[in-house]
Amino acid sequence: MTEHKMLSADELQEYIKNSACVHDVSLAGGDYQNINLEGIRFECIDARGAKFTAVNLNDSVWECCQLDNAIFSQCHIDNLYMTDCTLTDGNFFDTVLKKGLWSRCSAERLSFAQASLESTVWNACQFSDIRLTEAQFHNATWSACIFKDLQLDDCYLEKVRASDCDLNNACFRRSDLIQCAIERSVLNECIFSMNDLRYLSLYRSQCENSDFTHANMAFSILSESYFRHSTFTGANLTNANLNLMSLDAGDMSKTDLRYASCRRLKANLTSFVEARLDNADFHQAEFIDCDWRGVDRTSVRPIEEKRVAAEKWQPHL
């Protein structure tokens, strides 16, 4: 990127009178608060440390821009598009983002404190130590993203869909994930304890050494997922779907599994001490060296002998 003199707010406004595309200029350290940049396209811009507080950025496009330490606080932005941008130490405090697409962006310590994101899409982004304190996500989509040391404190996520993501070491503190899906993803060393995770889907995801202690996971979908050394102590898994789930050296003690569907579940060296199993369906489930102390195993749904026989039947040729 060629070195250029920084454009002032007045110079930038004069520039966009003649062109809707701002290309290869410097906005680094500039103060552009409260100006109208709606529909403007930014290409190869150096905007490190720039202030865009309360700026109209609706339908704006940012491509190959340096936005480290840039401030986008207190904005209300519809359809923000960012591609191949860097946003380390960027700040979207108290900003509302609706729709829009971020693709192949990267950042460390990017902050969305008290921000609201609705129907936004993050694709193939890499974020390290992203800050989401008191943030809200609605109908957001995360695809093939890497979140290193993700921190969510007092957040609310509803109908967020994450697929093929890496969320290792994510920590969800006092946060709710309602009807969210984190599928075909890796969630090792994660903390979900004490959170509201109703209807959460972890379909085909991998969780090792993760903590779901006392989480409300009613109606959750854990089918075809793999859990190793993970704990669900005291969790509410009523009406959950654990079909074809693998549980290795886990802790299900005092877990509420009433009416859960656990068909073909495989559990190895797992504790079910004092778990509640009323009307749980363990059709063709496999248990190896599990601990059942204090459990009424007669309370589970009766084995369907005819169904088992039908599934084992093979035609004679």
Side-chain angles (χ1 to χ4, degrees):
M1 185 178 291
T2 305
E3 292 290 334
H4 295 285
K5 174 181 176 293
M6 183 202 75
L7 296 183
S8 67
D10 290 339
E11 290 171 331
L12 177 58
Q13 288 182 307
E14 190 65 29
Y15 188 110
I16 62 178
K17 287 180 180 179
N18 303 310
S19 175
C21 180
V22 181
H23 177 77
D24 197 20
V25 302
S26 175
L27 306 179
D31 190 343
Y32 307 98
Q33 299 183 58
N34 298 304
I35 68 174
N36 185 1
L37 297 175
E38 182 173 5
I40 301 300
R41 182 180 184 89
F42 296 88
E43 297 178 350
C44 302
I45 299 300
D46 181 357
R48 289 174 291 180
K51 297 179 181 178
F52 297 96
T53 303
V55 170
N56 181 356
L57 290 167
N58 291 342
D59 301 303
S60 62
V61 178
W62 302 73
E63 185 173 342
C64 299
C65 295
Q66 294 176 292
L67 300 171
D68 303 330
N69 292 293
I71 298 174
F72 294 87
S73 61
Q74 299 177 330
C75 296
H76 192 297
I77 310 173
D78 293 344
N79 299 308
L80 174 65
Y81 292 88
M82 288 194 174
T83 304
D84 296 313
C85 295
T86 61
L87 298 108
T88 290
D89 292 311
N91 194 335
F92 285 81
F93 171 76
D94 195 27
T95 286
V96 176
L97 296 169
K98 292 187 176 180
K99 301 181 181 179
L101 169 66
W102 293 27
S103 184
R104 299 187 303 277
C105 294
S106 62
E108 295 181 11
R109 299 175 299 280
L110 178 62
S111 175
F112 287 95
Q114 298 181 32
S116 175
L117 293 87
E118 181 177 341
S119 302
T120 54
V121 177
W122 291 347
N123 178 62
C125 293
Q126 296 189 34
F127 296 133
S128 177
D129 197 19
I130 188 171
R131 313 294 173 81
L132 300 176
T133 305
E134 298 182 24
Q136 296 188 34
F137 288 79
H138 302 270
N139 296 300
T141 300
W142 304 340
S143 176
C145 292
I146 297 175
F147 297 92
K148 183 179 179 182
D149 299 324
L150 177 66
Q151 302 287 324
L152 293 95
D153 296 322
D154 301 295
C155 292
Y156 181 82
L157 288 74
E158 182 178 17
K159 297 181 180 177
V160 172
R161 174 69 182 271
S163 58
D164 303 300
C165 290
D166 182 340
L167 289 102
N168 285 335
N169 301 299
C171 184
F172 297 78
R173 297 188 184 95
R174 302 175 303 279
S175 297
D176 298 333
L177 288 78
I178 308 300
Q179 297 185 42
C180 294
I182 307 175
E183 301 179 337
R184 301 186 305 277
S185 297
V186 181
L187 301 105
N188 299 330
E189 308 283 349
C190 293
I191 299 176
F192 292 91
S193 57
M194 307 293 291
N195 294 316
D196 190 345
L197 309 177
R198 286 172 294 163
Y199 298 95
L200 172 68
S201 174
L202 297 178
Y203 174 71
R204 287 192 174 180
S205 289
Q206 173 184 310
C207 301
E208 294 193 27
N209 298 301
S210 291
D211 186 0
F212 297 88
T213 301
H214 294 295
N216 183 1
M217 304 181 71
F219 298 97
S220 59
I221 300 172
L222 310 182
S223 54
E224 299 186 43
S225 53
Y226 174 71
F227 293 84
R228 185 170 185 270
H229 293 298
S230 294
T231 179
F232 294 85
T233 302
N236 176 11
L237 283 161
T238 55
N239 295 286
N241 182 344
L242 284 65
N243 296 338
L244 293 168
M245 169 182 165
S246 295
L247 187 60
D248 187 17
D251 190 348
M252 284 273 188
S253 58
K254 297 185 179 180
T255 299
D256 193 342
L257 287 161
R258 288 176 296 169
Y259 298 96
S261 181
C262 307
R263 291 172 172 258
R264 298 184 181 177
L265 175 146
K266 294 183 178 180
N268 177 49
L269 296 170
T270 295
S271 172
F272 289 90
V273 172
E274 297 184 21
R276 298 191 63 179
L277 307 179
D278 307 46
N279 285 297
D281 185 356
F282 286 104
H283 177 73
Q284 290 197 316
E286 297 180 18
F287 301 98
I288 301 174
D289 297 328
C290 293
D291 190 344
W292 298 97
R293 287 175 296 166
V295 176
D296 181 8
R297 299 182 67 179
T298 65
S299 65
V300 302
R301 193 174 304 174
I303 296 175
E304 302 173 45
E305 299 292 351
K306 291 184 179 180
R307 184 185 183 95
V308 173
E311 291 177 350
K312 291 182 178 180
W313 178 81
Q314 295 291 332
H316 295 287
L317 301 178

